[in-house]
Amino acid sequence: MENEYKRLVLLEGLECINKHQFNLFKSLMVKDLNLEEDNQEKYTTFQIANMMVKKFPADAGLDRLINFCERVPTLKKRAEILKKERSEEETSLEINRQEASPATPTSTTSHMLASERGKTSTTQEETSTAQKRKGMSEEKTDVKKIKASGKADQPPCCEGPTATCQSPISQVSSSASSNIPSAKNQKSQPQNQNIPRGAVLHSEPLTVMVLTATDPFEYESPEHEVKNMFHATVATVSQYFHVKVFNIDLKEKFTKNNFITISNYFESKGILEINETSSVLEAAPKQMIEVPNCITRNANASPKICDIQKGTSGTVFYGVFTLHKKKVKTQNTSYEIKDGSGSIEVVGSGQWHNINCKEGDKLHLFCFHLKRERGQPKLVCGDHSFVKVTKAGKKKEASTVQ
């Protein structure tokens, strides 16, 4: 359960708040985590999460993070999400324990049975034990009925974690998802939507400026159908977001520096997802916004490889990196990327197996997941991954496959 608490603290908490909020949290945790007061900027979300696990082994500091979010007006929605996710994880763990050993009494039950041994006969003990087991079985059945009826409001699992944040180091959440305008009718995704578990529907309109957009590309849906999508980056006056657009008819609206208003979109760990049911309209002149240069710079920045290596498995990264080595294998291709802080292997399979690139080229990675094999970190492609290649010495980008 410790790993689950840490996952919630990092992926659903620290990676989904903006830089100012993260700095505020660090300031409040200086004494608890023994942080250097005069050098707080150096601590990343990964380091803070690891420190919290050591300091608060019971819940990895999740309770303190929730209390912090509840006290910050713009993070109250984030606190609700964290509490809901914690409740779901604990309920799931309890059900798994009961299913693994349904006949094993809990510690309280065992204590009660031990007390009864001196007062009742063997027959009474057996009867009491049978009743306890029956009660546990009925309780488990009730939990299953609640989940089956949909009253628990737990959306289905579809794809792994996704995203990126205001700081290029924090690549799990494109920005503080808690600052997305909250919809009056926010709800978890419908059962038939192809979006990640825990995604939230936002009905209220959000005006953004388009920063970048890729060409459409094919991907395989969970139903094993070949569909099309593209990636984009948009920004508001205070933050930027990575966007997955599953309706390629909207491509012309995602033009650089174009102002659009989106509604009925989903948000999961900071990444926005737009599908056929979402609304994307040209923004009216009075709705146009001015995006600060610092937001644009952050959106275009890439994380350092040394920070990627410290990430948690499942974290998703975006960025531009220099190809150092390429090794083509039977089932996949190993692309070693490198910067001044280190190097890491990128594993490309499917349409990203043996792409047209060579040493010295720039690889622009979209939605690549961090994975650890035998303790070694590497980036692997997922269903929605995409690669753009910039040839060495050229500005024009390509994404052709050999």
Side-chain angles (χ1 to χ4, degrees):
M1 190 64 186
E2 178 183 304
N3 288 337
E4 292 304 319
Y5 282 133
K6 181 180 179 181
R7 181 184 67 80
L8 293 178
V9 167
L10 183 60
L11 301 186
E12 301 284 3
L14 299 180
E15 293 291 353
C16 293
I17 62 179
N18 63 31
K19 187 175 181 180
H20 171 72
Q21 293 160 346
F22 181 49
N23 287 337
L24 180 61
F25 180 71
K26 287 190 289 186
S27 179
L28 295 173
M29 297 294 290
V30 165
K31 290 186 178 179
D32 287 330
L33 301 181
N34 294 322
L35 305 180
E36 297 178 17
E37 292 190 42
D38 298 331
N39 202 11
Q40 294 179 34
E41 283 288 334
K42 74 175 185 179
Y43 296 103
T44 67
T45 53
F46 314 124
Q47 292 172 320
I48 294 297
N50 289 334
M51 291 178 179
M52 290 174 69
V53 170
K54 294 178 181 178
K55 179 67 177 179
F56 313 108
D59 67 347
L62 179 59
D63 189 57
R64 283 166 175 78
L65 181 59
I66 290 175
N67 288 337
F68 166 75
C69 292
E70 288 178 331
R71 293 174 181 271
V72 180
T74 56
L75 291 180
K76 288 187 177 180
K77 287 289 182 182
R78 178 56 42 191
E80 304 243 346
I81 292 173
L82 288 170
K83 287 192 286 187
K84 179 182 175 182
E85 289 283 336
R86 178 176 63 182
S87 177
E88 289 178 355
E89 290 293 347
E90 291 175 349
T91 299
S92 176
L93 179 63
E94 182 62 27
I95 291 174
N96 290 337
R97 284 175 177 171
Q98 292 179 5
E99 290 178 343
S101 55
T104 302
T106 63
S107 59
T108 302
T109 303
S110 299
H111 179 72
M112 292 172 62
L113 291 176
S115 300
E116 291 293 329
R117 286 194 182 101
K119 300 179 182 180
T120 61
S121 64
T122 303
T123 302
Q124 288 174 320
E125 276 189 21
E126 293 175 350
T127 301
S128 176
T129 303
Q131 290 175 344
K132 297 295 181 182
R133 291 175 178 172
K134 180 179 179 182
M136 292 173 64
S137 177
E138 290 175 351
E139 182 182 354
K140 181 176 70 175
T141 302
D142 289 340
V143 173
K144 287 186 176 180
K145 286 181 178 179
I146 290 174
K147 292 177 73 65
S149 66
K151 293 180 181 179
D153 196 26
Q154 179 175 339
C157 180
C158 186
E159 191 191 10
T162 53
T164 177
C165 206
Q166 291 293 47
S167 167
I169 294 176
S170 306
Q171 293 294 310
V172 177
S173 174
S174 174
S175 54
S177 60
S178 59
N179 287 340
I180 298 175
S182 59
K184 294 180 180 178
N185 298 317
Q186 277 187 2
K187 56 184 179 180
S188 297
Q189 84 238 35
Q191 294 292 326
N192 60 349
Q193 291 293 335
N194 175 25
I195 57 177
R197 175 179 178 268
V200 177
L201 172 64
H202 294 269
S203 300
E204 291 186 352
L206 176 68
T207 299
V208 298
M209 184 178 81
V210 179
L211 301 181
T212 61
T214 70
D215 293 329
F217 64 95
E218 293 183 345
Y219 75 99
E220 185 175 347
S221 70
E223 295 79 24
H224 303 293
E225 297 176 348
V226 177
K227 297 185 177 182
N228 291 278
M229 65 171 289
F230 62 91
H231 289 282
T233 306
V234 301
T236 65
V237 295
S238 60
Q239 55 196 314
Y240 70 89
F241 303 95
H242 288 303
V243 187
K244 295 179 182 180
V245 185
F246 296 100
N247 182 2
I248 61 172
D249 292 336
L250 299 173
K251 184 65 175 69
E252 63 180 18
K253 286 186 170 57
F254 282 84
T255 304
K256 186 176 181 179
N257 297 331
N258 194 29
F259 293 93
I260 58 177
T261 299
I262 61 176
S263 56
N264 292 326
Y265 58 93
F266 289 91
E267 178 267 326
S268 176
K269 301 179 179 67
I271 285 187
L272 309 187
E273 300 198 1
I274 295 175
N275 56 30
E276 286 76 7
T277 63
S278 304
S279 173
V280 179
L281 303 173
E282 296 283 347
K286 64 179 181 180
Q287 293 177 306
M288 293 183 180
I289 58 177
E290 185 174 347
V291 177
N293 291 333
C294 61
I295 299 296
T296 303
R297 285 197 300 270
N298 288 338
N300 293 328
S302 299
K304 292 182 179 179
I305 291 178
C306 65
D307 291 320
I308 297 178
Q309 294 170 335
K310 300 173 186 176
T312 304
S313 293
T315 303
V316 173
F317 289 90
Y318 296 72
V320 182
F321 307 94
T322 301
L323 177 62
H324 181 60
K325 290 182 181 178
K326 175 183 176 182
K327 184 177 181 181
V328 180
K329 304 175 184 177
T330 304
Q331 299 295 328
N332 55 51
T333 302
S334 172
Y335 306 95
E336 183 184 345
I337 56 176
K338 190 175 183 179
D339 65 10
S341 68
S343 63
I344 191 171
E345 179 186 7
V346 178
V347 180
S349 58
Q351 61 179 317
W352 310 121
H353 171 38
N354 194 20
I355 59 177
N356 182 16
C357 61
K358 61 182 180 180
E359 295 177 11
D361 291 346
K362 298 287 186 180
L363 300 186
H364 193 165
L365 307 181
F366 295 80
C367 200
F368 270 71
H369 301 253
L370 181 65
K371 182 179 180 182
R372 294 185 183 277
E373 291 185 359
R374 299 177 182 176
Q376 293 298 315
K378 59 179 62 178
L379 292 173
V380 299
C381 58
D383 293 337
H384 302 153
S385 298
F386 183 73
V387 182
K388 284 204 291 190
V389 179
T390 301
K391 293 296 183 180
K394 295 182 180 180
K395 293 184 179 180
K396 188 175 179 180
E397 293 177 329
S399 57
T400 56
V401 181
Q402 284 185 342

